[in-house]
Amino acid sequence: MSESESAVQPEETRGDSSHINRIRAEMLHAKSRQRKLYLFGAFALLFALFLMLALIGFSKGTVIEVMPEDARQSAVLRLVDGLGTSMGHRVYSLSQNPTIEVSAAGFMPLSRTLQASETGGTVNVELSELSGELSLKTVPASEKTRWFIDGELVAVAASLELDVLAGEHVIGIDNPYYRKKEIALTTERGKVLQETIELENISGQLKLETSPPGALIQINGEPVGHSPVSLTRWGGSYRIEVAHNDYQAITESVEITNSETLIERDYRLTQKNAFLTVRVSPSGGKLLLNGKQVQSNTALAVKAGVNHSLIYLKDGYFPQSRTLSVNSGVEKQVSISLKAEIGKVSFFSTPNATVSLNGKDVGQTPLVMELPALPHRLELHKKGYRSHKQTLVPGSKSAQQIRVVLQTEKQARLSEAAKIVTNKVGIELQLFKPDDTFVMGAPRHQKGQRANEFLRTVKLTMPFYVSRHEVSRVQYRQFKKVQGAGSEPVTSLSWIEAAQYCNWLSLQERRTPFYDIRGGQLRGSNIVSDGYRLLSEAEWEWLARKASRPKQTKFTWGDETTIPPNSGNIADESANGKVSHYVPNYSDGHAGPAPVGSYPPEKTGLYDLTGNVSEWVHDVYTLTPPEGKTVESDPLGERSGDTHTVKGSNWRSGRMTELRASYREGEKIGRDDIGFRVARYVYGGINGQ
């Protein structure tokens, strides 16, 4: 060793010694820390023990009573929420509502939060048993297996996976193709019981016969012989096929089961269908096979070897029928061609008219034609006459004659008119067909005659409807508000208001209004209209004196001056002192207007032509006497004027003058004893078309 090396050596020795000293110091420091940790842990353990003892000492222990008995033996109690502990079956807690969990082998665990009121007492906790689990299957496996547990069907499947109560159970297995089976099994709580059950085969018999015999029998596609056959087969499903020469094949599926082990069949074979195709001319008719309609030009399956009835029909042609048979398995074709049927028809009409067939004019009557025996739309028409329409079917067996008398439009409408009609507002109207000449007014020598009752010869020809009653308040109120709404006649209306009501009625029935009223003034009348109007003076007087009577009379009841009882509402005994004149010894039961129809109808069937209220009529009131002795036809009076005629007596009438049918007045305004009734022509006025 050199001097230099000798000089360095002491420094290295000193370095090693320093390093060792550091290690010793660190070890001593670590041991010191460990002793502190041990002291802290011991202190914490002592503190926890102190807390536990304090908890046990200061808190009230809650006893947990576990049921059932076999769960109590293995029950484990655990505090899962709250400050405290559990010991055995007791819970010590400083929390107000601790939560505990109780568990036991073979039972479902249960969590329970204790209430403050339960602390320190006994709390009953009942655990539910865990179920046992069955895992069963069969050999062989089959989806048709029915599973029973203790006699109750629980599944239809190849296997059974099911939770059941622990204990003994009787398991039933029923597969239709195997023997029924029952086994006893015991399940335990929370455990799976696995079993494989072997099924036992069953056997059965197939006894198959056919008529006729000798048919080839196949089972599931394999030939097994010719009928009759008797076969033994295991339980299961089998497809039987039967085939025999010219007979229709039969296919059937059967099952040999534990409830049906013998399958017997006696198949009655039927011959194979024959086929028939029928071609027809002309097309579009009705083809009947054995009475049932079928399609032509189509192969029809029919029974072989028997007769079949075939009929083809078409309008306008002679029908054709056949009887035929077809051999088994054969397709036969038949053609049928029909011959057209022609009929002879003669057309006559009065007057001569145009003949139209199926919408096309073909000539004038008289006319003779040969026509196909088909339905034809016939129309005989002539201008100004109602057309005659019908369906005509000619026939070849005999010639037809069509004879028609055409009616004018007026005649047709009149023949269609009903005797009594009720319109849309409930007014009942009666039809009159006057063709009569009579004398209006009264001669100078007639007692009670007034100077305005001019003698006029009038001829009425136009049929008309007239309301059987005077218009009531309730009927007028549908048009315009009026005081009162009862069945008494409406009064205190002006003539123009009555005419306006007539126009309103016309519009309700889409008729042409009769009156031309503008600005509340009458401008004229549409006398060809069939709209509603007032009766003409001539019509009113004819109804009151002549209609439905053997001769013309002075009063509505006749010529006698003695008024028959209940003739109408006039000034009777009750009016004594209220009017200037009354009829003594007559009582009608009403001091004012009576409800319409309160008295029997007149000879015409109309009501209240005598009494109740006087009535506005169409005519302008005039004092001009007629010129000469001309006959007036369906007169309507002057076309304009501010005064209109009032006809008939009323509830204030007490003199013979007023009770006569020829009595007339002229008024400009309404009164409380004037009403009206409505009328309309059947087909329009004197020039109506």
Side-chain angles (χ1 to χ4, degrees), residues 371-404:
L371 299 171
L374 294 168
H376 298 272
R377 290 181 289 108
L378 168 66
E379 181 179 359
L380 298 177
H381 58 91
K382 184 179 181 66
K383 186 176 181 181
Y385 290 82
R386 177 71 64 87
S387 295
H388 171 82
K389 298 178 181 180
Q390 71 175 78
T391 299
L392 167 68
V393 182
S396 61
K397 293 183 179 180
S398 62
Q400 292 189 45
Q401 289 189 352
I402 306 297
R403 295 182 178 274
V404 175

Side-chain angles (χ1 to χ4, degrees), residues 60-63 90-91 116-122:
K60 297 180 180 180
T62 303
V63 178
R90 287 180 178 270
V91 176
S117 60
E118 296 175 323
T119 303
T122 298

Side-chain angles (χ1 to χ4, degrees), residues 571-589:
D572 61 357
E573 290 276 3
S574 65
N576 187 4
K578 300 177 183 177
V579 295
S580 57
H581 296 86
Y582 72 96
V583 179
N585 301 319
Y586 181 83
S587 177
D588 54 43

Side-chain angles (χ1 to χ4, degrees), residues 34 62 122 127 150 191 215 250 306 312 315 350 377 408-409 421 434 456 502 504 557 576 587 627 637 646 651 653 679:
Q34 189 176 33
T62 303
T122 298
L127 300 182
D150 299 327
K191 293 185 178 181
I250 295 177
V306 299
Y312 185 53
D315 290 341
T350 303
R377 290 181 289 108
T408 65
E409 187 63 30
V421 296
R456 300 165 57 191
C502 291
W504 175 79
W557 60 83
N576 187 4
S587 177
E627 297 181 4
V646 175
W651 55 275
S653 301

